[in-house]
Amino acid sequence: MQLTFRPAHRVDVAAVVALLADDVLGQGRELGDLAPYLAAFDAMRTEGNNQLIVGVNADGTVLATYQLTLISGLSLSAARRAQVESVRIASSMRGQGLGHQMFADVEARARAAGCALIQLTMNQSRTESRRFYESLGFTASHFGFKRALV
């Protein structure tokens, strides 16, 4: 199956939230109320370098999603980075090569934006995801830290 990746529309937000909730970790942390997600989507659209991308099949069904944030910085000789977050593929579609299609899209968008590298974080419990990212050439080169503010 071939997916087409495109910027998400506001009408896609419900499908994206369903993908976010479609795993063990997401089941316990995603809400049923779409209002905060719609507000966040609207905020992302005004930020410019923060995009929600969806992967759709031939009939337009959203089967994959990721968030791409372009970050300009001074380190690494002023390298621009592509930060990838909230990577999801519908659980019923995993293992069919859609992740490879997704990351080909990520790389194409990052290169087009002049990025020197792609970076991402993932929950340590996602061992299959780690193997997938390593198969794409990602290296676990840094420790990541998070601190909840709410």
Side-chain angles (χ1 to χ4, degrees):
M1 168 182 296
Q2 185 68 31
L3 295 183
T4 300
F5 289 89
R6 62 165 173 77
H9 305 295
R10 202 167 197 269
V11 69
D12 297 321
V13 171
V16 169
V17 172
L19 288 173
L20 295 175
D22 186 26
D23 71 10
V24 174
L25 295 175
Q27 290 171 0
R29 62 184 179 198
E30 301 307 333
L31 309 171
D33 180 12
L34 281 182
Y37 296 98
L38 292 168
F41 178 78
D42 293 342
M44 290 169 64
R45 292 186 64 178
T46 65
E47 292 171 1
N49 286 334
N50 191 354
Q51 303 175 55
L52 183 64
I53 305 295
V54 292
V56 299
N57 65 7
D59 70 6
T61 303
V62 174
L63 296 174
T65 188
Y66 68 91
Q67 180 178 342
L68 180 66
T69 307
L70 306 174
I71 306 167
S72 297
L74 298 181
S75 66
L76 296 175
S77 300
R80 192 168 206 211
R81 302 157 194 266
Q83 175 75 29
V84 183
E85 298 283 343
S86 301
V87 174
R88 297 290 191 285
I89 293 184
S91 60
S92 62
M93 304 303 293
R94 293 181 191 146
Q96 298 184 37
L98 302 182
H100 285 87
Q101 291 178 40
M102 176 187 289
F103 273 86
D105 187 74
V106 168
E107 185 171 335
R109 290 176 192 274
R111 287 183 183 279
C115 293
L117 61 94
I118 300 168
Q119 60 189 30
L120 58 86
T121 61
M122 53 158 264
N123 189 289
Q124 291 181 9
S125 69
R126 296 183 189 277
T127 55
E128 289 180 31
S129 296
R130 180 178 177 149
R131 283 193 294 275
F132 171 71
Y133 294 134
E134 288 173 339
S135 78
L136 295 175
F138 286 88
T139 59
S141 62
H142 291 70
F143 288 108
F145 295 90
K146 297 188 182 216
R147 180 176 168 206
L149 299 176
V150 287

